[in-house]
Amino acid sequence: MFTGIIETLGTIQDVRREGTNIHFTVASTFAQELKIDQSVAHDGVCLTVVAVDGHANTHVVTAIDETLQKTNLNSWQLGRRVNLERCLAANGRFDGHIVQGHVDLTAVCESVEDQNGSWLYRFRHEAGPGRVTVEKGSICINGTSLTCFNSTDDGFSVAIIPYTYEHTTFQDLQPGDQVNLEFDIVGKYVAKLLGR
């Protein structure tokens, strides 16, 4: 389980296809602390560490076909920066919201507006059961826990403060880019119970 509070940025160092899988080598500041079998969220996608190179400060994760179909990982290329978060420690603070690392679908960034001190982003996604946002509710975008507003059946907006902008990949995000979305787990259960 994760909280959507990004720890550091990683950089894709290698992309290797093997059958329907893709192996990603990621460089980061905490690679030396990782262990094989550990779960790490990469742009909101929970992936298992399969190799660690402490000297190169890199780790390797594998994305299978199901993951590649539901996320934007198919588009990852060398040099891309990704948001990284290790799983929540049992004695850690819960600063964001409950994030499973199970991406529901991708969305498209429709617009980015510099508001002279913050940034306003608008996202559009496919409407459907369980894809519910509420005003001032939680949403996870590329692994980042955020509060949404201007919520509709197929879209929402978020406002990004300078700290989040500087310490996540939101600074790289442009209109037309695809992002990974994980809807609030509580909202998904309520929606299912109500038949939405």
Side-chain angles (χ1 to χ4, degrees):
M1 187 170 70
F2 307 93
T3 68
I5 303 300
I6 304 307
E7 288 187 75
T8 191
L9 295 177
T11 304
I12 304 299
Q13 299 285 298
D14 187 49
V15 178
R16 183 171 61 87
R17 290 187 179 268
E18 183 180 30
T20 59
N21 299 337
I22 301 181
H23 307 286
F24 296 101
T25 301
V26 185
S28 72
T29 57
F30 63 42
Q32 291 182 341
E33 302 171 43
L34 298 179
K35 297 177 182 177
I36 292 174
D37 285 339
Q38 189 170 0
S39 295
V40 178
H42 299 68
D43 268 3
V45 183
C46 179
L47 297 170
T48 301
V49 175
V50 297
V52 177
D53 184 338
H55 297 296
N57 292 319
T58 61
H59 68 278
V60 178
V61 291
T62 301
I64 62 172
D65 188 56
E66 169 71 10
T67 302
L68 296 170
Q69 289 184 36
K70 291 274 184 5
T71 68
N72 66 6
L73 271 67
N74 253 322
S75 67
W76 286 10
Q77 298 177 349
L78 294 180
R80 180 191 175 102
R81 297 195 303 171
V82 296
N83 296 319
L84 297 178
E85 181 191 358
R86 288 174 286 187
C87 55
L88 177 66
N91 63 347
R93 290 187 182 275
F94 208 102
D95 292 322
H97 74 280
I98 298 172
V99 175
Q100 295 182 296
H102 303 161
V103 170
D104 292 300
L105 78 166
T106 59
V108 174
C109 177
E110 286 196 319
S111 62
V112 180
E113 182 183 336
D114 186 338
Q115 296 192 312
N116 193 28
S118 65
W119 290 262
L120 180 66
Y121 291 77
R122 181 73 188 170
F123 295 94
R124 179 81 53 200
H125 61 81
E126 197 174 298
R131 298 169 184 175
V132 178
T133 58
V134 296
E135 290 294 308
K136 310 306 181 193
S138 296
I139 188 74
C140 188
I141 304 172
N142 279 353
T144 309
S145 174
L146 295 164
T147 301
C148 56
F149 56 96
N150 294 335
S151 178
T152 63
D153 287 343
D154 64 353
F156 59 89
S157 298
V158 294
I160 304 297
I161 63 172
Y163 183 89
T164 303
Y165 186 85
E166 292 165 14
H167 291 88
T168 69
T169 58
F170 272 90
Q171 60 188 287
D172 302 331
L173 198 57
Q174 300 293 323
D177 287 350
Q178 235 183 15
V179 297
N180 297 318
L181 286 189
E182 181 181 331
F183 294 95
D184 180 47
I185 185 66
V186 176
K188 287 191 283 189
Y189 277 115
V190 170
K192 182 166 185 176
L193 289 170
L194 295 176
R196 289 191 59 201

